[in-house]
Amino acid sequence: MAIQSLIIIMAVLLVLLVLGVPISYAIGISSLAAILPTVPPDVSVLTAAQRTFVGMSNFSLTAIPFFVLAGNLMNQGGIAKRLVDFVLALLGKLPGSLLVTNIGANALFGAISGSASAAAAAVGSMVRQGEEEQGYEKALCGATNAASAPSGLLIPPSNALITYSLVSGGTSVAALFLAGYIPGILWALCCMAVAVCIAVKKGYQGTLGKYDWKNLGISTLRAIPSLSLILVVIGGIVKGIFTATEGSAIAVVYALFLGICYRNITWKSFWKTVVDSARMSGMIVFLIGVSNIMGWVMAFTQIPQAIASALLGLTDSPMVILIIMNLILLVAGTFMDVTPAILIFTPLFLPIVKTFGMHPVQFGLILVYNLCIGNITPPVGNTLFVSIKVGDTTLSGVMPYMLMYYGAILAGLLLVTYVSSVSMYLPMAAGLI
């Protein structure tokens, strides 16, 4: 029954996605299609409605709309320019200084805004003029911007990690947030290594002259209020001063305060930001609620147990099983957004990794890291196409450089997968695990 139900879910889901049906409806319909041969239609539909309501009634979900609003306020609040100036002052002496600045600013702004596409659009447009003036190749700049933007999704506050916490049965949000720092920074460092190597080969130099400590001091002071959002929110959550939900509300107040102080938010823009955030949050919360139907169907038909038995029947090596999982997640990420993929694959794979002792926090980072790669991989690759548009280049132009970035990012994935301390060190040091 389990294999039959899994085949029905995947087949119906794939057909609906190809037909352009919204992912939330596709998940709900495919789940119902899988359970109807076993459970009477009236019971199936009623239970599905109940599971959807229960899935959307989780109080922890309140954090997602608040973090979405905080991120959108940050996008409007003039934060990107200050972060770009700060990173340029800090790393400007490295070869390919503007490429390195783009990467560093994407990591910071992506973490603050919670959106890889927003980081690629905001930061990419900020550095584009300087790159053109200094003769940087457009395709290289577009590839660098795209490759580095998803790193901020791993660095807290991260809606993807909050979603995983809910789906995985209440994994500590504070532990997940701390665990995301090193993988996120590792992603950015991998991109920087590639950018510096290419810059040396092409002769792109850093800023000339002595290190400008005065400029660094001024840029740091201008960036501190923005960077403090991460310290205040994450520090408060980790220390237990407030919950993730309370922290998300504080982030909104802080972001609004900065936007008003910077004089970049008006009543009109504020209202538009609130409406856009409500729409985005509604889609995310409804998607999570509907995915609860799939979770119920999988539990009822024992699909996770069947998959675990099948994989463990192929091999008892955790290394091989993790390679198979990574390949599946990398392929899925090329045509699915991060949130629905988390909702689908967490209940499938988490029970398996638990059988050989992997902590849910480590698996959460492996999962999100894999799916973030899909943000910059065709055919979906929203962040990739945003960067191409911002950089005024083409897909064929950026792909040779993207292949180099893919290689470095995948090397980082192997470290996150097989070296547990990459994701576990900080939460363990803080006593959260």
Side-chain angles (χ1 to χ4, degrees):
M1 181 175 69
I3 300 301
Q4 175 188 342
S5 299
L6 179 61
I7 291 173
I8 293 173
I9 288 176
M10 292 305 174
V12 175
L13 183 63
L14 183 60
V15 170
L16 292 175
L17 291 177
V18 170
L19 293 175
V21 176
I23 184 67
S24 54
Y25 299 134
I27 288 176
I29 294 170
S30 61
S31 300
L32 278 175
I35 201 66
L36 283 175
T38 309
V39 179
D42 55 340
V43 176
S44 299
V45 173
L46 180 60
T47 305
Q50 290 174 337
R51 299 311 304 173
T52 301
F53 179 77
V54 169
M56 293 190 296
S57 300
N58 193 322
F59 180 73
S60 300
L61 278 176
T62 312
I64 292 179
F66 278 126
F67 275 130
V68 169
L69 178 56
N72 287 338
L73 288 172
M74 283 289 182
N75 293 344
Q76 293 286 333
I79 306 301
K81 180 65 167 63
R82 288 166 172 79
L83 295 180
V84 168
D85 291 343
F86 167 67
V87 177
L88 182 59
L90 184 64
L91 303 176
K93 292 298 179 182
L94 293 175
S97 56
L98 289 178
L99 299 178
V100 176
T101 297
N102 194 338
I103 295 167
N106 269 341
L108 292 176
F109 190 71
I112 291 172
S113 70
S115 170
S117 296
V123 176
S125 60
M126 291 287 177
V127 298
R128 178 182 169 183
Q129 182 178 353
E131 289 169 338
E132 290 179 349
E133 290 174 352
Q134 296 188 30
Y136 284 67
E137 185 182 344
K138 286 185 177 181
L140 172 58
C141 296
T144 303
N145 189 32
S148 57
S151 61
L153 297 182
L154 293 162
I155 302 172
S158 168
N159 288 331
L161 293 177
I162 294 175
T163 302
Y164 171 78
S165 170
L166 295 168
V167 182
S168 63
T171 304
S172 168
V173 174
L176 286 168
F177 276 6
L178 273 186
Y181 276 108
I182 295 179
I185 293 171
L186 177 63
W187 181 311
L189 291 176
C190 288
C191 291
M192 285 184 184
V194 173
V196 169
C197 290
I198 296 175
V200 170
K201 184 177 180 180
K202 289 184 172 290
Y204 298 145
Q205 299 180 352
T207 54
L208 302 177
K210 295 182 179 180
Y211 203 88
D212 193 342
W213 291 101
K214 181 179 179 180
N215 182 43
L216 176 60
I218 294 172
S219 300
T220 302
L221 289 175
R222 283 169 52 83
I224 280 177
S226 305
L227 297 174
S228 295
L229 172 68
I230 299 176
L231 297 176
V232 170
V233 174
I234 306 307
I237 294 172
V238 171
K239 290 293 184 181
I241 299 173
F242 41 74
T243 65
T245 303
E246 293 164 344
S248 65
I250 292 171
V252 170
V253 175
Y254 192 95
L256 180 60
F257 174 75
L258 283 184
I260 292 173
C261 289
Y262 294 156
R263 298 182 180 180
N264 287 315
I265 292 181
T266 63
W267 279 111
K268 184 177 180 180
S269 65
F270 174 70
W271 177 247
K272 183 178 183 301
T273 300
V274 170
V275 172
D276 290 343
S277 300
R279 288 173 178 164
M280 186 183 302
S281 301
M283 290 187 291
I284 295 173
V285 172
F286 179 65
L287 179 57
I288 292 174
V290 171
S291 72
N292 221 29
I293 305 173
M294 182 174 285
W296 163 63
V297 171
M298 287 182 177
F300 184 84
T301 57
Q302 298 186 325
I303 289 175
Q305 291 88 332
I307 293 176
S309 298
L311 281 177
L312 294 173
L314 290 173
T315 177
D316 58 358
S317 170
M319 293 187 66
V320 176
I321 291 174
L322 287 171
I323 287 175
I324 295 172
M325 287 183 180
N326 279 338
L327 290 174
I328 293 172
L329 291 171
L330 287 171
V331 172
T334 63
F335 61 87
M336 294 184 71
D337 287 332
V338 174
T339 299
I342 290 173
L343 299 172
I344 292 171
F345 289 103
T346 299
L348 286 177
F349 290 159
L350 183 57
I352 300 174
V353 298
K354 283 183 175 179
T355 61
F356 50 80
M358 177 176 285
H359 197 282
V361 168
Q362 183 185 356
F363 177 70
L365 270 299
I366 294 172
L367 177 68
V368 175
Y369 195 112
N370 267 293
L371 298 175
C372 282
I373 296 175
N375 267 308
I376 52 174
T377 310
V380 177
N382 293 328
T383 302
L384 174 62
F385 291 109
V386 167
S387 297
I388 288 172
K389 183 176 181 180
V390 170
D392 190 25
T393 182
T394 62
L395 180 61
S396 60
V398 302
M399 284 312 294
Y401 295 113
M402 286 302 300
L403 292 175
M404 289 184 271
Y405 282 115
Y406 289 146
I409 293 167
L410 289 173
L413 173 61
L414 292 177
L415 288 175
V416 174
T417 302
Y418 293 113
V419 182
S420 61
S421 58
V422 171
S423 53
M424 299 295 286
Y425 175 75
L426 289 180
M428 290 180 69
L432 297 173
I433 295 177

